[in-house]
Amino acid sequence: MLKYLHIILSITVISLAGYGLITKDFKFLPYMMFFLGLTMLVMGLREFQKGQKGYGWLSIVVFIFILFVVFNSFLLN
C-alpha cells in the first residue's frame, strides 16, 4: 500500500511542479511542498519496513523540515 501511495504522491508533486514551470504561475507551490513532504514521510516509512533505519530517520527529518517550511509559507501568505 505504501508503494502505491508513494507513486500517487510523486505523480501529484511532478504534476504541480510541471504546471508551475509551464505556466509560470506559482500559486500552488505550497501545496506542492506539502505533497513533497508527505512523499518523504512515505519514503521514510518504506525504509523502516526495509530495515534501513538511517535512511528512514533522514526521510522523517526532511519531512518535518518541509512541513515547517510549508506552515511558514501558509502563515506568511
Side-chain angles (χ1 to χ4, degrees):
M1 174 159 162
L2 286 177
K3 180 179 180 180
Y4 297 119
L5 187 60
H6 182 235
I7 292 170
I8 291 169
L9 289 171
S10 297
I11 290 172
T12 304
V13 169
I14 291 170
S15 300
L16 288 173
Y19 173 79
L21 285 173
I22 292 170
T23 63
K24 305 287 192 254
D25 182 20
F26 299 108
K27 64 182 175 185
F28 294 119
L29 186 66
Y31 300 109
M32 187 211 41
M33 291 295 291
F34 177 71
F35 285 117
L36 180 65
L38 290 179
T39 304
M40 292 304 294
L41 176 64
V42 171
M43 283 176 57
L45 294 175
R46 286 182 68 194
E47 292 298 323
F48 277 124
Q49 283 183 346
K50 291 179 187 176
Q52 298 178 349
K53 293 185 180 185
Y55 288 121
W57 281 114
L58 180 65
S59 296
I60 300 294
V61 169
V62 170
F63 161 71
I64 292 170
F65 175 72
I66 291 174
L67 199 63
F68 175 74
V69 170
V70 167
F71 283 142
N72 279 339
S73 68
F74 277 131
L75 291 176
L76 292 177
N77 288 334

